[in-house]
Amino acid sequence: MRQRLIHLRNGGVSVVVDASIGVPVIVHWGRELESIDEESILATVYLPKQPGGVDVTAPIAIVPQHGEGCLARPGLAGHRPGGRHFAPRFGLQNFEASKSSLVVTSIDSIAELSLRFEISLREWGALSIKTKVTNNGESRYLLDTLSITLPIPQLAEELLTLSGRWADEFDMHRQGFNHGAWTSENRSGRTSHEHPPVVWAMQANANEWSGEVWGAHLAWSGNHVLLAEVLADGRKYLQLGELLTAGEICLEPSSSYSTPEVVAVYSSHGLTPASWKFHHNVRANLPNQTGPSRRKVVLNTWEAVYFDHDEKRLRKLAELAADLGVERFVLDDGWFSSRRNDRSGLGDWWVSNEVYPNGLKPLISHVQTLGMDFGIWVEPEMVSEDSQLFRSHPEWALVSPGYEPIRGRNQLVLNLTYEPAFEYLFLKLHELLSQNEIAFLKWDMNRPHVQATMASGAAATHEQTLALYKLIDRLRAEHPKVEIESCSSGGGRIDHEILRRTNRVWTSDCIDPIRRQKIQRGASLFIPNEVMGAHIGAEVSHTTGFSHPVGFRALSAVFYHLGLELDLGKCPTDELVSIREAISWFKNHRDILQSGDAVRFDCQSASNLSHGVYSKDRNEALVALVQLTEMIQGNGPQFLRLPGLNAQAKYQVSMFDSNFLPGDRIGEFSGSQLEKFGLSLPKLRPNSGVIFHLRCV
Ligand code: DGJ
């Protein structure tokens, strides 16, 4: 008899798929199984007829099918002229399986459509699924949706989701998952600040180190829709896909549409171990550069000088930065054409004669003489109406002809799907990188798409997103050593697909350390610490207006990709001394910080937060404790439990204060003691923190 269930096993996770029927059904995704008992697994998925329902209870397949009687939201929606074939029903065509991957093709010969599923379980335990639909008929098929659905066991009674806004990204929210539906729709044309494409289902009361958790991410930098639903019969699922505007994807005969990849992770030990699988996924696919442990300490000029590019002042800034130990000088917005403010110049990618009469070379070589490399800011997808480019090619803007365009930050989006515009941008960026010694590009994108329309008149976000990937890929192929940062007014474009072609993300425009602590914690649910740019800013935060001591600002940045973003010329000497200490501390611990496992802890009190990093071999750990607000009165001593170390090993624990000076030895504890009883925590003032250093003895 042909085997019905395919068992994929990798990285401590099992995924069991029924590939015997029309569209594959995930019948188990979770704990690793030694063997599978088909009958008992199938009994949990194929339910008897429900009273009042149709005669079969259709399973929740990877693409649930209305045509089969499934009442979950259909995974494939679309139609042919006259509304025909809106509810296809697929039959299995073929499948090929290996130990960790499965390719299935399904066909509906009436609707003349086929589906191809690529399912693999990576060695780090992340499940990856992509689907493609092909129009085998002779008429057009207008596609509304093709999304990927993951069934979730009923014991998952909570959802953890992320939301946000400019300068306040990655807010974590927990809510019940017992009835109804939660949905998140992003129409901003980028990954978005508002709706990061990540959703977690969790066993009730699961936390950072306990309970079963299932997380799913859509690796896509355009529009998306996420859904978590509980059906009336109690079955639960997550669904993730690109959000397509009506008519955006029109499949001509023989053409296809492929979904973005869904990356999904599971752990029976809470969110922190599950996040490692997401982190591993990013690390495995990052464009290969100098290696994670060699990420350079950056100085970014934005909050230091904004548009006030004065070469003398910048040279001085570079000297101060180099003296503190900075390794890369990044010249932000304001260096090109007429760009003296945010109303002008985008699209004219040549060095401003007014500000740099001798070009950038003198500044670059000054920076290099100081021992740093040079990076530069660009925003290629945009055009200012006050630019030579727009005056020559107004038709290159991504607008809807006949309508007054909606502006954002005084700018329009360029239509990358229009070949001449694409070629122009490639050429300008290629020239910039060929004519100057540039090690790093900060690739910004500062406004959403609104009514973005292609030459055909159809919505453009899907094609624009693919064109953006193509532009970066082509540039990378020509300049493989240049590192790229994905920035979109801070954290508006952070996802695993952009991180296949960029090395760093600018997590937020807010560098207020209190807010950053929360932003970075939320982002670490699905991206590793070392890709998050984190800068020490000015004493008074430019986005919130709050003041913070330098040690606390530094402590909130050193666990990530460290940088500075302040006018060093205005810093008092003691502040410069602290920044120098922080940079040297970062360099001393860079290996573990940038290649270890990021950990988050559940604190007893909401007034503090704790996170850190464990070395892969668990011989060393750095754990930060930060005090966000006043300690709540009446609280007795607090303890921080540190699960996940080597239970038998003995750790010597010492503490750094926020001046990064080697502090007191606290004592020696076994991994098992640290897990069961934890470390007794010092009383801290708000806006301060400490770092515990644990080393095996
Ligand atoms: C938005 C970015 O997030 C900032 O860091 C800065 O680069 C500005 N754009 C420049 O216009």
Side-chain angles (χ1 to χ4, degrees):
M1 196 182 82
R2 194 176 190 196
Q3 188 192 356
R4 176 157 188 188
L5 297 184
I6 309 294
H7 184 184
L8 310 179
R9 246 177 111 167
N10 229 340
V13 174
S14 280
V15 173
V16 182
V17 183
D18 184 355
S20 70
I21 48 171
V23 162
V25 177
I26 295 175
V27 297
H28 169 87
W29 162 38
R31 284 177 197 279
E32 184 164 26
L33 306 172
E34 281 308 317
S35 59
I36 50 174
D37 169 3
E38 289 210 350
E39 221 172 298
S40 50
I41 289 191
L42 289 173
T44 65
V45 176
Y46 294 94
L47 304 182
K49 170 182 171 349
Q50 301 293 300
V54 292
D55 286 350
V56 278
T57 304
I60 302 179
I62 295 178
V63 170
Q65 305 187 80
H66 181 75
E68 211 187 25
C70 180
L71 298 184
R73 187 158 72 185
L76 172 68
H79 67 275
R80 292 189 186 278
R84 288 180 301 120
H85 303 316
F86 67 95
R89 192 184 311 170
F90 290 85
L92 177 70
Q93 189 178 37
N94 194 15
F95 76 86
E96 270 172 50
S98 72
K99 187 183 151 282
S100 58
S101 69
L102 173 65
V103 176
V104 181
T105 48
S106 310
I107 189 150
D108 177 340
S109 50
I110 298 171
E112 299 183 297
L113 295 169
S114 57
L115 291 173
R116 178 185 158 89
F117 299 87
E118 287 175 32
I119 305 164
S120 45
L121 189 54
R122 310 277 184 218
E123 72 229 45
W124 49 92
L127 171 64
S128 151
I129 308 184
K130 284 195 236 169
T131 305
K132 180 164 93 172
V133 57
T134 303
N135 179 4
N136 304 323
E138 283 178 5
S139 62
R140 284 179 164 175
Y141 179 76
L142 281 170
L143 178 71
D144 296 334
T145 313
L146 179 59
S147 18
I148 288 166
T149 303
L150 301 165
I152 297 292
Q154 295 191 24
L155 63 82
E157 293 194 68
E158 288 186 44
L159 288 177
L160 171 66
T161 61
L162 295 172
S163 68
R165 58 207 68 79
W166 174 76
D168 193 8
E169 297 86 343
F170 305 111
D171 242 345
M172 295 159 81
H173 303 275
R174 281 176 90 138
Q175 57 187 280
F177 186 32
N178 285 313
H179 54 84
W182 165 89
T183 184
S184 158
E185 298 192 353
N186 166 37
R187 292 185 169 76
S188 69
R190 52 184 172 181
T191 321
S192 88
H193 298 83
E194 295 80 10
H195 305 280
V198 187
V199 51
W200 294 84
M202 306 163 63
Q203 205 175 355
N205 302 322
N207 57 31
E208 289 295 347
W209 291 91
S210 72
E212 285 193 85
V213 297
W214 294 261
H217 165 60
L218 187 78
W220 180 243
S221 317
N223 294 334
H224 62 252
V225 51
L226 310 184
L227 172 71
E229 187 175 19
V230 183
L231 294 179
D233 57 27
R235 288 179 298 164
K236 299 179 177 179
Y237 66 94
L238 305 178
Q239 192 175 73
L240 302 90
E242 185 179 1
L243 189 154
L244 298 170
T245 303
E248 186 164 9
I249 302 285
C250 167
L251 294 182
E252 298 294 347
S254 304
S255 61
S256 304
Y257 163 85
S258 298
T259 63
E261 180 186 22
V262 166
V263 184
V265 300
Y266 163 82
S267 170
S268 53
H269 290 92
L271 291 164
T272 284
S275 308
W276 296 336
K277 296 179 176 142
F278 274 143
H279 299 173
H280 197 136
N281 199 61
V282 171
R283 287 174 170 174
N285 293 316
L286 272 178
N288 195 19
Q289 293 298 326
T290 41
S293 61
R294 295 257 51 87
R295 283 173 182 272
K296 296 191 171 181
V297 180
V298 166
L299 177 125
N300 179 289
T301 61
W302 183 241
E303 289 199 3
V305 304
Y306 290 101
F307 286 109
D308 187 12
H309 282 224
D310 170 71
E311 199 175 326
K312 219 166 123 204
R313 185 174 169 200
L314 289 166
R315 281 169 172 262
K316 185 75 199 147
L317 187 61
E319 285 157 24
L320 290 169
D323 182 56
L324 296 179
V326 168
E327 299 159 307
R328 171 169 292 161
F329 184 85
V330 180
L331 190 66
D332 210 281
D333 198 356
W335 58 268
F336 55 98
S337 61
S338 60
R339 186 75 170 170
R340 302 292 79 77
N341 53 51
D342 67 8
R343 291 184 297 281
S344 179
L346 290 171
D348 295 346
W349 296 111
W350 50 82
V351 181
S352 161
N353 271 335
E354 196 187 324
V355 192
Y356 299 98
N358 302 312
L360 286 176
K361 288 202 170 78
L363 179 62
I364 297 180
S365 67
H366 185 61
V367 162
Q368 289 172 336
T369 315
L370 292 167
M372 299 183 287
D373 67 21
F374 185 83
I376 201 161
W377 178 95
V378 287
E379 193 180 2
E381 295 146 80
M382 299 293 158
V383 64
S384 308
E385 284 160 285
D386 179 13
S387 67
Q388 286 192 30
L389 181 69
F390 188 78
R391 282 186 283 274
S392 320
H393 296 289
E395 74 285 5
W396 287 9
L398 193 67
V399 295
S400 221
Y403 294 92
E404 182 63 18
I406 304 285
R407 295 167 182 86
R409 207 193 188 203
N410 313 302
Q411 63 202 47
L412 300 176
V413 185
L414 267 183
N415 186 351
L416 303 192
T417 72
Y418 184 59
E419 212 186 318
F422 181 97
E423 288 303 323
Y424 166 84
L425 282 180
F426 172 73
L427 206 74
K428 284 289 154 215
L429 294 168
H430 177 55
E431 269 170 23
L432 177 70
L433 296 179
S434 311
Q435 290 166 7
N436 299 287
E437 275 187 65
I438 291 175
F440 174 84
L441 271 190
K442 175 175 175 185
W443 188 300
D444 207 345
M445 193 279 199
N446 284 308
R447 57 152 296 171
H449 298 177
V450 177
Q451 216 187 21
T453 308
M454 290 192 291
S456 65
T461 294
H462 172 78
E463 289 296 332
Q464 176 86 357
T465 309
L466 294 179
L468 164 76
Y469 292 157
K470 193 166 126 194
L471 182 60
I472 305 179
D473 290 347
R474 190 155 153 211
L475 210 64
R476 290 198 61 83
E478 288 289 336
H479 303 276
K481 291 207 173 116
V482 175
E483 292 176 38
I484 305 181
E485 171 172 55
S486 170
C487 171
S488 183
S489 304
R493 190 150 66 195
I494 299 182
D495 58 78
H496 286 205
E497 192 58 46
I498 203 73
L499 277 164
R500 283 177 177 268
R501 36 188 67 77
T502 56
N503 311 75
R504 181 191 210 249
V505 295
W506 182 226
T507 322
S508 178
D509 271 354
C510 180
I511 42 184
D512 173 315
I514 294 268
R515 217 185 260 179
R516 264 296 177 126
Q517 284 286 345
K518 295 186 184 166
I519 293 170
Q520 287 158 177
R521 190 175 178 93
S524 81
L525 280 169
F526 77 113
I527 58 168
N529 285 355
E530 72 274 11
V531 304
M532 291 185 222
H535 297 173
I536 303 174
E539 181 184 355
V540 178
S541 161
H542 292 199
T543 43
T544 64
F546 289 118
S547 299
H548 305 278
V550 63
F552 186 57
R553 282 178 268 145
L555 194 138
S556 302
V558 287
F559 280 82
Y560 307 91
H561 185 174
L562 179 64
L564 311 182
E565 192 168 333
L566 73 173
D567 187 352
L568 295 171
K570 291 195 182 137
C571 287
T573 316
D574 56 341
E575 196 158 305
L576 294 177
V577 170
S578 299
I579 294 176
R580 189 197 307 282
E581 287 297 342
I583 292 178
S584 121
W585 185 92
F586 172 81
K587 289 181 178 169
N588 288 339
H589 299 94
R590 182 153 44 186
D591 281 347
I592 166 176
L593 287 170
Q594 310 259 301
S595 63
D597 287 329
V599 288
R600 295 176 303 267
F601 302 102
D602 300 293
C603 286
Q604 276 170 272
S605 158
S607 63
N608 51 25
L609 276 183
S610 181
H611 66 92
V613 58
Y614 288 175
S615 66
K616 286 270 178 216
D617 59 11
R618 302 294 186 260
N619 283 341
E620 195 181 355
L622 290 163
V623 173
L625 170 74
V626 292
Q627 193 66 38
L628 303 174
T629 57
E630 195 85 57
M631 183 80 100
I632 297 145
Q633 283 295 317
N635 269 358
Q638 293 207 8
F639 294 89
L640 179 68
R641 290 183 177 171
L642 304 179
L645 293 163
N646 288 336
Q648 309 308 330
K650 266 253 177 290
Y651 292 89
Q652 189 184 86
V653 182
S654 55
M655 195 173 82
F656 292 93
D657 64 13
S658 44
N659 292 319
F660 295 92
L661 299 174
D664 305 337
R665 268 190 58 190
I666 293 187
E668 281 184 14
F669 308 90
S670 71
S672 143
Q673 273 172 306
L674 289 165
E675 165 149 26
K676 288 190 191 123
F677 308 108
L679 289 173
S680 162
L681 299 182
K683 293 257 186 255
L684 296 172
R685 290 177 166 197
N687 274 331
S688 71
V690 290
I691 299 174
F692 297 105
H693 189 193
L694 287 79
R695 260 180 197 287
C696 262
V697 286

